Amino acid sequence: MWRFLSTRIAMGALTILATTVLVTLLIHAVPGDPVQIMYAQSQGTTPEQIEEVRRSLGLDRSIPVQYAMFMERLLQGDLGTTIRGGQPVLDVILQRLPNTLVLACSAMFIAIVIGIPIGFLAAYREGSLVDTGLMILAIAGISMPHFWLGLMLLFFFALELGWLPVSGNGPLNLILPALTLGLSNAAIFARLTRSSMIDVMHQDFVQTAYAKGLPKSLVLRRHVLRAGFLPVVTMMGLQFAFMMGGAIVVENIFSWNGVGRMAVEAIFQRDYPVIQGFILTFSVVVVVVAIGIDALYAVLDPRIRRA
Amino acid sequence: MTSLTDIPNGSAPPGFWRRMVRSSNGVVGLIIVLGLIFCAAFADLLAPYNPARMGTGGRFLPPGGKFLLGTDEFGRDMLSRILYGSRLTLLIGAVAVGISLTAGMLVGMVAAFRRGWVETLLMRSTDVLFSFTETLIALSFVAVLGPSLQNAVIAVGVAAVPFYARTCYSAALVETSKPYFEASIAAGAAPGRLVFLHLLPNVLPTMIVVATLGVSTAILAAAGLSFLGLGAQPPTSEWGYMLAGSRDYINRAPWLMTIPGLAIAITVLGFNLLGDGLRTSLDPVERR
Amino acid sequence: MTEMRTKSWRTAAAIGLAAGLAVPAQAADIVWARYGDIDTLDPHRATSTLSLQVWSLIYDTLLAVDADGNPVPHVAKSWTSNEAGTEYTFSLQEGVMCHDGTPLDASDVKYTIDQAFSETTPSVTKGSWGPITGAEVVDPLTIKLTLDTPFVAMIPFLADSFSSIICDSNADAEGFGTTTAIGSGPWKLISWTKGDRIVLEKNADYTNFGKLADNPGAPYEDGLIIAVVPEPQARYAALTTGEVHIAEPPFDDVPAIKDSGDLNIIVAENTGQNVFWEFAAHRPPFNDKRARLAVAHATDAATAINLIYGDLSIPEMCPVSRGVFGNDQDFCAQYRPEYDPDKSRALLAELGYSDDNPLETALLVWTGGNRQKLGEVFQAQLAEVGIKASIEIMDIGSLNARVRQENENTEGTTGSMDMMTWSWYDPDILYALWHTPGAYRGYTSPELDAILDETRVLTDPDARKAKVQEAFRYLLENAIHVPLYTPGWEWVFAVRPEVEGFKVAPFVYPIFSDVKIGG
Amino acid sequence: MSALLAVRDLSVTLRSGGEARMLAQDVSFDVARGQILSIVGESGSGKSMTAKALMGLLPPNATVSGEAWFRGANLLAKGSAPCRGTGIGLIFQEPMTALTPVLTIGTQLTEAMVVLGLADPAEARRRAIAMLDRVGIPAPDRRMRQYPHELSGGMRQRVMIAMMMLLEPEILIADEPTTALDVTVQAQILDLLRDIVRDTRIGLILITHDMGVVAETAQDVLVMKAGRTIEAGPVARIFTAPSAPYTRALLDAVPRLDRPGSSAGMVAGAAAGKTLLSAGHVSKTFHARAGLFASGLATRALDDVSLDIRQGETLALVGESGSGKSTLGRVITRLTDADHGAVTLGEENLLTLRGKSLRAARRKIQMIFQDPYASLDPRQRIGTSIAEPIAIHTTLSRAERQDRVGGLLARVGLTPEMAARYPHEFSGGQRQRIAIARALAAGPVLIVADEPTSALDVSIQAQILDLLADLKREEGLTMLFISHDLAVVRQIADRVAVMRQGRILELGPTEAVWTAARHPYTRALIDAAPVPDPTRPRGVRRPVSGDFAIGALREAALGHWVAT
């Protein structure tokens, strides 16, 4: 297990390292002069001051030196300051990150609570009308753009029915965005669970369990569910990353004050330090969650736990 | 000695099309996709009005009558816009998947075929990029290049490359380890022959399935970017952009939101069903 | 919208609110929802209207504006200047207190000005402060400003929130601009959650000297919450449910709102904002006056804004907006190229353009406020005469940078034009825009420079007005600055019926001191 | 002998996609206490379906008819509760997949006892440990806490048997219980099953395709083909006087380990042949890679192996799984690169060749693979596949190539017209013939055949072996024949090399090795191999111990080398 996990952690570290490189290069890929864009609104800035900013950002140095400077600041927890308003990027992100995490986790919870039982039921009734019906529902769910689903939910539950508030970041405000994000992923979970469970149900060891005279409920619960759940667990890391990605859109629909909304604003404002910080934060979160899920998987699967 | 059971299995396994037709999903998907292609190809003839012309009808006319799907905030005919939008949607899907498929297959096949450090380098970088997730790659791309439909499509295409590369790699790995491939090596086949006569034809079916399903992902992703204002720019009748613009009129003209959303959903559903059908037909073992 | 539906909304909202949620709206808190957030609480670090509006609540200014937009005394009860117009002496009101309890005096004003001209971190609006060379504390209630050259636009500037007086105690405070903002305005900062809300509390010690509020003292209500709700429909829903008291409604629902009478609609007047065509004038095709005129003649601003904003915006004829010194619609109408597609086509034909060889240009538009929709209409109008414009939407910061880039680029044949927006309280804005080198390095000429130089130093109002209008004429005839409209949009306020006393001062500064929330 | 289980007219029908297929038709048999009944047949004979029907484990789209009386009830009647576990136990072929991977051995052993009320948890655990001990698993205490993946295949099959026996069934059905196991392990498992039947007097239904296993274990035999019973009777009668032609054909097809093969006559001549290919000091280590870094797990597949192949002979490599025999074949064909050593063919060291010269040299050595289904490119006509070596190495025209392909197809017993068909239109045996034709197409001097018949039914195996023997006789083909099946090897090989853990332990003329094996491991292998002769005494085997001489080879007799 330690070998498995250390590999995953090394992989994660590599990913984050690659992100830092990418993020440093990002500002160079920008068409035009980023410093000009940053200070476009300042009438008082002299060319000397622009040069000063360029120097302080290291943009006059070679890229490796810039990277070293970036990393040095990063290791001190300094992600630079926003162009709009000149505030520490880290503060801006940390203030909003919890909101995004809460949203993604709630959506994950919804996806699991809805998706896995449906997938299990469909697998249990494989080939039946119930199975067909549920899977049609699932494929429809996957095909539904979540920004559209979000708008429809907003329209019906907030505007037409007025059941739920539409602004702010309270627990009731969480319901719609989490539902939007959760439902489409529930469909993915349902399909995944179904195929995984069906795979397992056709395995010899399930036949063995039946041959021992175990009742169906016990076979399903102890043998099928446990073994069939593992592939679903491995997918959770990836799904969480999807959730984080989906949150970008959903936050914008529901005015949820998370890093996704911040990122889109920053893109419009060409606020490069914020974009850099966002990309870095996003990949750190995704990597950490993926490692967490891998650890969970390692604990659940004896083949890895005992390796 | 009498031949005991060494008889050809009387009937060949049901052919691809027969299986395709049997999978009702695939048929429905195919019909939707063909319908979409038809709409896109003949948008000029089908569309009753110029999609960009403002004031074709009154503003916010509800569906029905002269304007089957109503008109938008500028009095443009929604039906015409949706029809022309199908062109864009197909183009987006095709170009994005084209990018992902070409680059992904190149990386995947080279890695599986060359092995050694080339394989390690390619697949490890793919893994790193893969854990970035497609959304982040696409978003970063747009952040750098600036919002436009073209950039969004490139972004979506590039973002999916790691996925295609991985899929192609594992499919190619399976094929290269099969005896027929080794027999070909043993027969002295040169790399070109191995790749183009054996590897490519055998990997292609898998990749066609992946690409078909990928079209739906790409369309969704590009529409998502347009929805955020990071993709299509006016006056294109890109569905995601139309949907984004409709937000202001939820109360006044809900159909402006419903129609493009439905169009996206049905298109994506079509490609998903077709992909599912293709998968079932191409791979009789995995009938799930 | 039926009455039934409205009722059911309310009931449901009551249930929602009873459940105790998002907006901690106690009876005495005013909730104002806007589409975006401020950039910073430091008045030297940003220029967005969203920021300025909030600063005007927290900070005071030396002067204030009356309903017509003219400067009047405020914290400075009077001022004098020398003959040459290079020295201004302001005497301050007694007993003005900063939020931290220290008295506001001349040293706070000096601190503010010193910060604006700081060597290391000058104000982003340093240029607008004018040629100030020194601020001298004569006594605690008297401050003297010395100018290098005369600068008539300084007085209106000192009435604007750009010149918010920052109490010098901020220098020692932790997190000035983010967690701290010590001013002397009617509202005190409690907290700012970025992207979400700003929570303000009334300044019980406040005295109003010149600001456009009837209330002479502290605000009536205890608190003010400024929430960020980007989606127009969400704001509307929040308004109808009572989550929010004041907000900008979706434009297209304004007529319905007006008809239903559920909410009051207040449109800001004298916003000072001016939206105009501007061109990359150093390269073809727009280095040719005829190409610029072709665009001007092809665009029917009245129809376009009516389509998008209804009666919420009005066409503008002058390069500065209504309510700003020198604006005269009739005067400008003589020179602004009128809507005439045939003339436009003729000009294009003269330049050698045709349907097969259309004039191609980028059309840069600032994101938000339905401007992209307006851009779409203009795009269609330009297409009518055969101009192929491709819209690019971007944030104002990017737009500013991009326009400057486009102006500096003399290569290529694809044109670039943009729908620029500037908001200023004085025609001096024209100096910033069009005097060599020009804010965007755009069109400049010695002729125009001479006119603009004079607008800065003529102290006699009539003489200055004549000069300003001369500049208008030059800009309009050469189609350098083609005015389109004065927006009231962005600053349409829908107000719940129980809210009384809400008003909007010129240049879209909302006033909350008079607000009372009834039962 | 009163019957424990009486099956009458059992039929199973499988419906799929509108078609109905009879998988078993009117099968009848009795099983008595202490009896071992073997149901034997080739793939598709319906033997497994019969077992599943008795267990009530048929897939949902299968229907069953007939009667099966057990404990006074008809198991096949609608609504009757199956007597799984305590009545009838079932053991599967594949011990790797038959145990739940995520549960401990202990849980899996005890859960049914507890659920079915046979014992409380503590008692169940005690019994489980005792049973593990009984089935020959060392340190049963520790095993209880382990997971299936931590056990070897043979161990797992023992656990399976223990698991079923703990429920004290009256009948045990073993469905190909040893097919996936190495021959030495197979012998142990068969011994164990026989012991259990003897001690507990249960009835055992042993389903197998291997007549050797039948002869070694069964008292009575039921021969099935295509769902029907061909014949039934006591094992001695079936083997000595089979009444059905099919049974006779089946017995004839079985290679006999206890009789010299048809090619034995050529030994002398071949032994005199000059060396064609010579492998010297070949070593190969595989490193398992886990993720980013090469892990320390290394497998020595080949450990300093040297070997000569002589012109015109068939040299067999024999060994159990993991012995390195396939790796050696792949090193010689350059499909795997060796770490050290040389393989010389003529003057050329094959292992140092690169690029063009390697490709040119490849035509001299061709390979036949185990899996006939994967041996041919599914998207090429078989004619194209066969012609590929010709297209690569010659400049023949299309028509000339077609002629050659036609000739090759005829040579392997197919018709030239078949060249236009795709692989999926052929049966397994036919595909293997096509693969042989392709191997011949290049005109090789050596063919490496890696388990070419182990995926085939016994009757087809016989045909393929005959074809290979014909080719050798008529074309003077030299062959390296890799197999785990000693009987096959004895039938076809001139010389044998016995491999274990990457080393050759014994090498010599086939008959010499068989009649006078000098290495204890070779002897153990020969002992363990089931012989299709029910008159041979059963269960006299020497256990295979871990410590053998694995040193350098020494010539013990003329041309007969043994590890020291």
PDB file of all heavy atoms in Angstrom, chain C residues 489-501:
ATOM      1  N   TRP C 489     -28.797  53.305 -17.912  1.00  0.00           N
ATOM      2  CA  TRP C 489     -28.694  51.884 -17.592  1.00  0.00           C
ATOM      3  C   TRP C 489     -27.535  51.669 -16.661  1.00  0.00           C
ATOM      4  O   TRP C 489     -26.687  52.544 -16.528  1.00  0.00           O
ATOM      5  CB  TRP C 489     -28.485  51.052 -18.851  1.00  0.00           C
ATOM      6  CG  TRP C 489     -27.365  51.558 -19.691  1.00  0.00           C
ATOM      7  CD1 TRP C 489     -27.449  52.353 -20.758  1.00  0.00           C
ATOM      8  CD2 TRP C 489     -25.976  51.331 -19.463  1.00  0.00           C
ATOM      9  NE1 TRP C 489     -26.216  52.644 -21.249  1.00  0.00           N
ATOM     10  CE2 TRP C 489     -25.286  52.034 -20.463  1.00  0.00           C
ATOM     11  CE3 TRP C 489     -25.230  50.613 -18.529  1.00  0.00           C
ATOM     12  CZ2 TRP C 489     -23.913  52.030 -20.560  1.00  0.00           C
ATOM     13  CZ3 TRP C 489     -23.862  50.618 -18.632  1.00  0.00           C
ATOM     14  CH2 TRP C 489     -23.209  51.335 -19.641  1.00  0.00           C
ATOM     15  N   GLU C 490     -27.473  50.418 -16.177  1.00  0.00           N
ATOM     16  CA  GLU C 490     -26.499  50.080 -15.170  1.00  0.00           C
ATOM     17  C   GLU C 490     -26.993  50.714 -13.887  1.00  0.00           C
ATOM     18  O   GLU C 490     -26.929  50.154 -12.839  1.00  0.00           O
ATOM     19  CB  GLU C 490     -25.143  50.680 -15.548  1.00  0.00           C
ATOM     20  CG  GLU C 490     -23.894  49.941 -15.241  1.00  0.00           C
ATOM     21  CD  GLU C 490     -23.790  48.600 -15.887  1.00  0.00           C
ATOM     22  OE1 GLU C 490     -24.449  47.692 -15.368  1.00  0.00           O
ATOM     23  OE2 GLU C 490     -23.057  48.428 -16.879  1.00  0.00           O
ATOM     24  N   TRP C 491     -27.544  51.884 -14.041  1.00  0.00           N
ATOM     25  CA  TRP C 491     -27.956  52.613 -12.866  1.00  0.00           C
ATOM     26  C   TRP C 491     -29.444  52.919 -12.899  1.00  0.00           C
ATOM     27  O   TRP C 491     -29.882  54.013 -12.647  1.00  0.00           O
ATOM     28  CB  TRP C 491     -27.074  53.847 -12.676  1.00  0.00           C
ATOM     29  CG  TRP C 491     -25.661  53.362 -12.739  1.00  0.00           C
ATOM     30  CD1 TRP C 491     -24.718  53.695 -13.628  1.00  0.00           C
ATOM     31  CD2 TRP C 491     -25.081  52.366 -11.896  1.00  0.00           C
ATOM     32  NE1 TRP C 491     -23.566  52.989 -13.420  1.00  0.00           N
ATOM     33  CE2 TRP C 491     -23.769  52.151 -12.355  1.00  0.00           C
ATOM     34  CE3 TRP C 491     -25.534  51.605 -10.812  1.00  0.00           C
ATOM     35  CZ2 TRP C 491     -22.896  51.226 -11.764  1.00  0.00           C
ATOM     36  CZ3 TRP C 491     -24.671  50.689 -10.228  1.00  0.00           C
ATOM     37  CH2 TRP C 491     -23.376  50.522 -10.705  1.00  0.00           C
ATOM     38  N   VAL C 492     -30.181  51.857 -13.266  1.00  0.00           N
ATOM     39  CA  VAL C 492     -31.620  51.884 -13.055  1.00  0.00           C
ATOM     40  C   VAL C 492     -31.801  51.185 -11.723  1.00  0.00           C
ATOM     41  O   VAL C 492     -31.233  50.121 -11.501  1.00  0.00           O
ATOM     42  CB  VAL C 492     -32.349  51.055 -14.136  1.00  0.00           C
ATOM     43  CG1 VAL C 492     -33.836  51.100 -13.890  1.00  0.00           C
ATOM     44  CG2 VAL C 492     -31.993  51.565 -15.499  1.00  0.00           C
ATOM     45  N   PHE C 493     -32.525  51.817 -10.837  1.00  0.00           N
ATOM     46  CA  PHE C 493     -32.704  51.181  -9.539  1.00  0.00           C
ATOM     47  C   PHE C 493     -34.167  50.807  -9.369  1.00  0.00           C
ATOM     48  O   PHE C 493     -35.050  51.633  -9.578  1.00  0.00           O
ATOM     49  CB  PHE C 493     -32.295  52.131  -8.417  1.00  0.00           C
ATOM     50  CG  PHE C 493     -30.843  52.504  -8.449  1.00  0.00           C
ATOM     51  CD1 PHE C 493     -30.384  53.538  -9.242  1.00  0.00           C
ATOM     52  CD2 PHE C 493     -29.927  51.807  -7.679  1.00  0.00           C
ATOM     53  CE1 PHE C 493     -29.041  53.873  -9.278  1.00  0.00           C
ATOM     54  CE2 PHE C 493     -28.577  52.136  -7.708  1.00  0.00           C
ATOM     55  CZ  PHE C 493     -28.129  53.174  -8.510  1.00  0.00           C
ATOM     56  N   ALA C 494     -34.386  49.537  -9.049  1.00  0.00           N
ATOM     57  CA  ALA C 494     -35.731  49.130  -8.670  1.00  0.00           C
ATOM     58  C   ALA C 494     -35.759  49.106  -7.148  1.00  0.00           C
ATOM     59  O   ALA C 494     -34.852  48.573  -6.511  1.00  0.00           O
ATOM     60  CB  ALA C 494     -36.055  47.761  -9.236  1.00  0.00           C
ATOM     61  N   VAL C 495     -36.780  49.736  -6.589  1.00  0.00           N
ATOM     62  CA  VAL C 495     -36.808  49.916  -5.147  1.00  0.00           C
ATOM     63  C   VAL C 495     -38.111  49.351  -4.605  1.00  0.00           C
ATOM     64  O   VAL C 495     -39.181  49.575  -5.167  1.00  0.00           O
ATOM     65  CB  VAL C 495     -36.705  51.423  -4.812  1.00  0.00           C
ATOM     66  CG1 VAL C 495     -36.685  51.646  -3.304  1.00  0.00           C
ATOM     67  CG2 VAL C 495     -35.464  52.031  -5.452  1.00  0.00           C
ATOM     68  N   ARG C 496     -38.008  48.582  -3.538  1.00  0.00           N
ATOM     69  CA  ARG C 496     -39.209  48.008  -2.932  1.00  0.00           C
ATOM     70  C   ARG C 496     -40.097  49.125  -2.369  1.00  0.00           C
ATOM     71  O   ARG C 496     -39.607  50.162  -1.929  1.00  0.00           O
ATOM     72  CB  ARG C 496     -38.831  47.025  -1.819  1.00  0.00           C
ATOM     73  CG  ARG C 496     -38.325  45.704  -2.360  1.00  0.00           C
ATOM     74  CD  ARG C 496     -38.165  44.693  -1.242  1.00  0.00           C
ATOM     75  NE  ARG C 496     -39.447  44.412  -0.596  1.00  0.00           N
ATOM     76  CZ  ARG C 496     -40.331  43.569  -1.092  1.00  0.00           C
ATOM     77  NH1 ARG C 496     -40.087  42.924  -2.217  1.00  0.00           N
ATOM     78  NH2 ARG C 496     -41.458  43.353  -0.465  1.00  0.00           N
ATOM     79  N   PRO C 497     -41.402  48.915  -2.383  1.00  0.00           N
ATOM     80  CA  PRO C 497     -42.326  49.985  -2.015  1.00  0.00           C
ATOM     81  C   PRO C 497     -42.152  50.485  -0.576  1.00  0.00           C
ATOM     82  O   PRO C 497     -42.401  51.654  -0.296  1.00  0.00           O
ATOM     83  CB  PRO C 497     -43.696  49.363  -2.221  1.00  0.00           C
ATOM     84  CG  PRO C 497     -43.474  47.899  -2.354  1.00  0.00           C
ATOM     85  CD  PRO C 497     -42.101  47.710  -2.859  1.00  0.00           C
ATOM     86  N   GLU C 498     -41.697  49.622   0.318  1.00  0.00           N
ATOM     87  CA  GLU C 498     -41.598  50.072   1.703  1.00  0.00           C
ATOM     88  C   GLU C 498     -40.380  50.959   1.937  1.00  0.00           C
ATOM     89  O   GLU C 498     -40.180  51.479   3.032  1.00  0.00           O
ATOM     90  CB  GLU C 498     -41.598  48.880   2.666  1.00  0.00           C
ATOM     91  CG  GLU C 498     -40.352  48.011   2.640  1.00  0.00           C
ATOM     92  CD  GLU C 498     -40.477  46.830   1.692  1.00  0.00           C
ATOM     93  OE1 GLU C 498     -41.273  46.916   0.731  1.00  0.00           O
ATOM     94  OE2 GLU C 498     -39.775  45.818   1.903  1.00  0.00           O
ATOM     95  N   VAL C 499     -39.535  51.079   0.913  1.00  0.00           N
ATOM     96  CA  VAL C 499     -38.327  51.895   1.061  1.00  0.00           C
ATOM     97  C   VAL C 499     -38.641  53.334   0.661  1.00  0.00           C
ATOM     98  O   VAL C 499     -39.101  53.586  -0.439  1.00  0.00           O
ATOM     99  CB  VAL C 499     -37.181  51.340   0.195  1.00  0.00           C
ATOM    100  CG1 VAL C 499     -35.949  52.225   0.309  1.00  0.00           C
ATOM    101  CG2 VAL C 499     -36.862  49.915   0.612  1.00  0.00           C
ATOM    102  N   GLU C 500     -38.409  54.254   1.577  1.00  0.00           N
ATOM    103  CA  GLU C 500     -38.652  55.664   1.279  1.00  0.00           C
ATOM    104  C   GLU C 500     -37.341  56.424   1.311  1.00  0.00           C
ATOM    105  O   GLU C 500     -36.430  56.075   2.062  1.00  0.00           O
ATOM    106  CB  GLU C 500     -39.556  56.273   2.354  1.00  0.00           C
ATOM    107  CG  GLU C 500     -40.977  55.786   2.323  1.00  0.00           C
ATOM    108  CD  GLU C 500     -41.721  56.224   3.583  1.00  0.00           C
ATOM    109  OE1 GLU C 500     -41.290  57.225   4.193  1.00  0.00           O
ATOM    110  OE2 GLU C 500     -42.687  55.542   3.942  1.00  0.00           O
ATOM    111  N   GLY C 501     -37.258  57.479   0.520  1.00  0.00           N
ATOM    112  CA  GLY C 501     -36.155  58.420   0.642  1.00  0.00           C
ATOM    113  C   GLY C 501     -34.904  58.057  -0.123  1.00  0.00           C
ATOM    114  O   GLY C 501     -33.878  58.718   0.031  1.00  0.00           O
TER     115      GLY C 501
END
